[in-house]
Amino acid sequence: MATGPLAGVRIIELAGIGPCPFAGMMLADMGADVIVVERPAAQRSLGGGGAMNRGKRSLVLDLKKPEALEALRQLILTADGLIEGYRPGVMERLGLGPTALEAQHPRLVFGRVTGWGQTGPLAQAAGHDLNYVALSGLLNLSQRPGQAPTLPATVVGDMASGGLLLAFGMVCALLEAQRSGRGQVIDAAMLDGANLLGSLVRSLAGQGHWPESPAQNFFLHSSPFYDSFECSDGRFLSLGAIEPAFYRELLQRLDLADEDPAQQMDTRQWPRLRERVAARLREKPRHAWMALLEGTDACVAGVLSLDEAPLHPHQQARQAYTQVQGQWQANPAPRFSRSQTRAPGAPPAAGAHGADILASLQLAPGTVEALLLDAVTTEGPRTGAAALEAVQGGQ
């Protein structure tokens, strides 16, 4: 049993990809009883939530069937919150929108995450992470001189702007519902989240500290002290020595103390200095520079791969990752002084908890058996008869 800060809270998650399962994972990590309602295997996209279903219970329902919709309706009525990532209007067409549920469950917190939001001219348009970040203005922040802006896939739009925003909104509304006795709808748009993530940059720009030209802005890959540079082994090292004292230390540790640290912000010097720094870092492999510079005030870190990151001594010391079935998973965050979060584990097979979940509902005779025909085990989809036999046999 989970003892995290959200223990005792039940959340229904309508399975999807990207931000919704990530938000559900965060809530489950914190101890919530998250029941993920999966589509039948043939209707899933990109394999569903995968490892992000850790700590959840799983039920398979074919929402094209009336009896499945009724089961979902009853299940929602047992929950504190619901999260979904469909296009605006889909839940209403299913008869399970906030208005339809309000009379029976006024305390329900209804979390909705979309790219463009529930309203506005683009609300019904398709899109993905890159599009939302682009419209917020954040994609433009990653530009390099003469190159198209790029971003790490899925991280800024889906996970940070969408999943984190939804999880935060759910917890806020759940707290408010305890006081008011009423639920509400959370409209978590990835575009809105990306807008918020740009708050620091907008603040800097408002104070005149954010030049539009990459050649004048040290964040935009033009400076000798804030960028990633290639080492002799083809791997990369990140430098982030913004403050004068840190820049001075970086110069000293790179044996470039003949450069005047007072000229750090003289952009006319950047091309020449950048080439000196780049040439210096190409003299040694990444591991040699990491041994020399990591842990100092020069603000340096190796650019690690997904496989390398969990093995770094700092990550190991903080026990930041757990290996599950041969794959690394990041441990729950943030950390609490008293509450115990769930340890990462293998995600459940789709439908693994269907029998127990459906048995707790008031469904018509024979309905549970019919719905369990959509169950999926770890071996993959089975035929209807085999799936039902497996569930009835307790497998």
Side-chain angles (χ1 to χ4, degrees):
M1 296 293 293
T3 59
L6 294 183
V9 173
R10 173 175 285 185
I11 303 293
I12 308 304
E13 173 194 329
L14 299 187
I17 58 174
C20 194
F22 179 67
M25 182 191 78
M26 293 191 66
L27 298 171
D29 283 350
M30 296 298 123
D33 175 22
V34 178
I35 299 175
V36 57
V37 179
E38 297 272 10
R39 299 179 177 94
Q43 300 176 25
R44 289 181 212 137
S45 177
L46 297 179
M52 289 189 290
N53 283 343
R54 71 187 192 192
K56 304 174 187 177
R57 295 194 287 160
S58 178
L59 168 68
V60 170
L61 291 176
D62 185 350
L63 299 184
K64 296 178 180 179
K65 300 178 179 179
E67 58 269 28
L69 287 173
E70 173 58 21
L72 178 57
R73 185 189 67 80
Q74 289 194 30
L75 186 60
I76 292 170
L77 296 181
T78 72
D80 300 287
L82 166 74
I83 56 176
E84 54 98 353
Y86 298 148
R87 288 199 201 190
V90 170
M91 290 295 286
E92 283 76 5
R93 290 194 293 274
L94 293 174
L96 295 173
T99 302
L101 295 168
E102 184 176 10
Q104 289 183 285
H105 195 348
R107 289 176 60 97
L108 180 68
V109 172
F110 201 116
R112 325 187 81 163
V113 59
T114 59
W116 307 113
Q118 296 293 315
T119 60
L122 298 178
Q124 292 296 331
H128 277 296
D129 178 288
L130 190 68
N131 308 127
Y132 316 132
V133 179
L135 200 67
S136 74
L138 294 193
L139 182 59
N140 195 52
L141 305 183
S142 68
Q143 63 182 301
R144 291 176 178 268
Q147 298 181 29
T150 60
L151 285 177
T154 80
V155 175
V156 178
D158 288 340
M159 303 296 102
S161 301
L164 283 172
L165 191 72
L166 176 60
F168 175 68
M170 290 296 294
V171 173
C172 290
L174 288 166
L175 285 172
E176 194 278 338
Q178 292 179 356
R179 297 191 298 270
S180 69
R182 298 182 61 194
Q184 56 188 306
V185 178
I186 293 95
D187 177 2
M190 286 178 255
L191 176 60
D192 294 346
N195 292 338
L196 277 173
L197 291 177
S199 296
L200 172 60
V201 171
R202 290 190 176 277
S203 177
L204 292 172
Q207 300 173 61
H209 300 313
W210 190 268
E212 286 291 330
S213 169
Q216 308 294 318
N217 190 324
F218 64 79
F219 282 111
L220 301 183
H221 312 289
S222 295
S223 80
F225 56 85
Y226 195 90
D227 204 353
S228 296
F229 293 84
E230 190 172 6
C231 303
S232 66
D233 56 358
R235 293 181 170 88
F236 289 82
L237 197 73
S238 69
L239 309 184
I242 297 173
E243 291 79 5
F246 301 160
Y247 178 61
R248 183 181 300 108
E249 181 160 348
L250 176 66
L251 292 177
Q252 291 172 349
R253 290 183 178 272
L254 292 180
D255 292 329
L256 298 175
D258 57 316
E259 296 288 351
D260 182 2
Q263 294 184 338
Q264 178 182 7
M265 295 303 174
D266 184 351
T267 59
R268 296 170 300 179
Q269 303 294 326
W270 284 0
R272 180 186 62 80
L273 284 171
R274 184 178 174 88
E275 183 50 43
R276 282 199 74 186
V277 170
R280 182 76 176 102
L281 293 177
R282 284 194 296 265
E283 294 175 5
K284 296 181 182 180
R286 186 192 63 186
H287 68 84
W289 287 118
M290 289 173 67
L292 178 66
L293 298 172
E294 273 195 344
T296 73
D297 282 352
C299 301
V300 173
V303 179
L304 305 184
S305 70
L306 292 177
D307 291 332
E308 290 173 324
L311 300 176
H312 188 279
H314 184 77
Q315 303 273 33
Q316 292 275 306
R318 287 183 57 78
Q319 299 180 330
Y321 287 84
T322 296
Q323 198 164 49
V324 179
Q325 296 181 331
Q327 301 294 322
W328 290 108
Q329 291 189 26
N331 284 326
R335 305 175 188 208
F336 297 82
S337 63
R338 182 166 48 82
S339 297
Q340 182 66 44
T341 56
R342 276 194 176 96
H353 306 94
D356 289 340
I357 295 169
L358 293 174
S360 69
L361 306 178
Q362 303 298 314
L363 299 174
T367 300
V368 171
E369 288 76 9
L371 294 174
L372 289 177
L373 296 179
D374 293 321
V376 177
T377 68
T378 54
E379 289 77 28
R382 294 186 180 182
T383 62
L388 182 57
E389 181 182 356
V391 174
Q392 290 176 336
Q395 296 183 20

